[in-house]
């Protein structure tokens, strides 16, 4: 009698399956990466903040839409969603500059004495210009002469002067308009001279810029002509 062979208990090796995903079917593409958000969803504000940064670094002549887009971390085409041209964006930057200047003057110039109020306006005007010289140059650059092309810029610029005008009229109701022009011209001219370093090396000892501003502004209000 032939011996019965024992049944084999050895298992057949398992067929290895590839972990590599199967290629997508024709006509279907794998989903791409999620688009980068535009800084909390406010692209325009992000671009203007980036423009402030580029402006401070490069100056008005060195700023471009491409550089602003790069600073904001968005595509080169993104600025055109809100600005038709570089001038359009720069006008918006200048507008914000005038709004900030007016806000700063309104916040600081609250003295009951009208003369002191004008002195404070001169001080904040000059200090703001010195703190942000590139923005100051842009605000009062060629775009200001074209402000009718950019209504928001026109409104902001006139609003800033309106505050100076109102303070001057409160100080001198009869000659307030002329006084406003004198005060504005003084503060603006002094700002430019300080930014340009025009006083450096003069054969006289000058006080700190904020002290000098107040001293000269007092002379203006007193109507004293220094020979």
């Amino acid at each position: 009698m032939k011996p019965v062979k024992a049944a084999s208990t050895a298992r057949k090796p398992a067929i290895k399956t590839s972990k590599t995903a199967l290629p997508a079917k024709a006509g279907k593409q794998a989903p791409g990466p999620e688009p980068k958000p535009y800084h909390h969803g406010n692209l325009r504000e992000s671009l203007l903040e980036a423009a402030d940064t580029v402006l401070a670094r490069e100056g008005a002549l060195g700023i471009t839409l491409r550089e602003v887009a790069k600073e904001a971390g968005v595509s080169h085409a993104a600025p055109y969603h809100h600005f038709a041209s570089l001038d359009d964006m720069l006008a918006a930057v200048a507008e914000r500059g005038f709004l900030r200047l007016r806000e700063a003057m309104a916040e600081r110039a609250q003295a009951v004495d009208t003369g002191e109020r004008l002195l404070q306006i001169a001080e904040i005007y000059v200090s703001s210009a010195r703190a942000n010289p590139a923005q100051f140059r842009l605000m009062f650059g060629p775009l200001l002469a074209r402000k009718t092309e950019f209504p928001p810029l026109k409104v902001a610029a006139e609003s800033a002067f309106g505050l100076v005008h109102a303070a001057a009229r409160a100080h001198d109701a009869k000659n307030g308009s002329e006084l406003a022009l004198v005060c504005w011209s003084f503060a603006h001219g002094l700002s430019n001279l300080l930014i340009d370093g025009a006083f450096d090396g003069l054969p006289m000892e000058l006080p700190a810029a904020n002290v000098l501003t107040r001293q000269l502004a007092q002379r203006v209000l007193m109507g004293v002509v220094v020979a």
Side-chain angles (χ1 to χ4, degrees):
M1 187 174 179
K2 294 182 180 181
V4 179
K5 292 183 180 180
S8 174
T9 58
R11 296 181 180 178
K12 294 182 180 180
I15 299 175
K16 294 182 178 180
T17 57
S18 173
K19 294 182 180 180
T20 304
L22 294 176
K25 294 182 180 180
K28 293 185 179 181
Q29 295 182 351
E34 291 293 325
K36 185 176 181 179
Y38 288 133
H39 298 264
H40 309 293
N42 195 337
L43 174 59
R44 188 178 191 276
E45 183 66 20
S46 296
L47 288 169
L48 290 176
E49 290 177 2
D52 284 340
T53 301
V54 176
L55 180 63
R57 185 175 66 231
E58 305 292 343
L61 297 179
I63 192 170
T64 65
L65 285 174
R66 179 179 290 267
E67 190 67 21
V68 170
K70 180 180 178 182
E71 182 69 30
V74 297
S75 71
H76 295 158
Y80 292 99
H81 289 289
H82 291 281
F83 306 107
S85 65
L86 176 61
D87 280 354
D88 193 38
M89 184 188 69
L90 292 179
V93 174
E95 174 201 347
R96 295 207 322 168
F98 278 112
L99 291 176
R100 289 169 178 167
L101 176 60
R102 188 193 187 287
E103 181 180 357
M105 291 190 298
E107 181 179 347
R108 287 278 301 275
Q110 296 183 354
V112 175
D113 182 80
T114 56
E116 176 62 24
R117 198 180 309 164
L118 285 171
L119 292 177
Q120 292 173 351
I121 286 176
E123 288 175 325
I124 193 62
Y125 190 104
V126 174
S127 63
S128 295
R130 294 180 66 236
N132 301 283
Q135 184 181 72
F136 177 73
R137 300 289 201 203
L138 174 66
M139 289 162 59
F140 293 97
L143 284 176
L144 188 60
R146 299 166 48 201
K147 59 182 179 290
T148 55
E149 300 176 31
F150 310 99
L153 170 59
K154 182 177 183 295
V155 171
E158 292 176 354
S159 177
F161 176 71
L163 186 144
V164 179
H165 192 198
R169 286 177 60 82
H171 184 69
D172 186 341
K174 181 179 179 181
N175 303 302
S177 295
E178 182 179 358
L179 179 60
L181 291 175
V182 171
C183 291
W184 183 25
S185 299
F186 156 73
H188 192 81
L190 182 59
S191 296
N192 277 304
L193 289 169
L194 289 170
I195 290 172
D196 291 337
F199 294 160
D200 298 346
L202 289 180
M204 62 186 71
E205 185 176 349
L206 295 175
N210 60 326
V211 177
L212 180 64
T213 299
R214 173 167 279 263
Q215 289 179 350
L216 296 181
Q218 286 174 328
R219 293 278 191 176
V220 171
L221 288 180
M222 291 168 58
V224 176
V225 178
V226 181

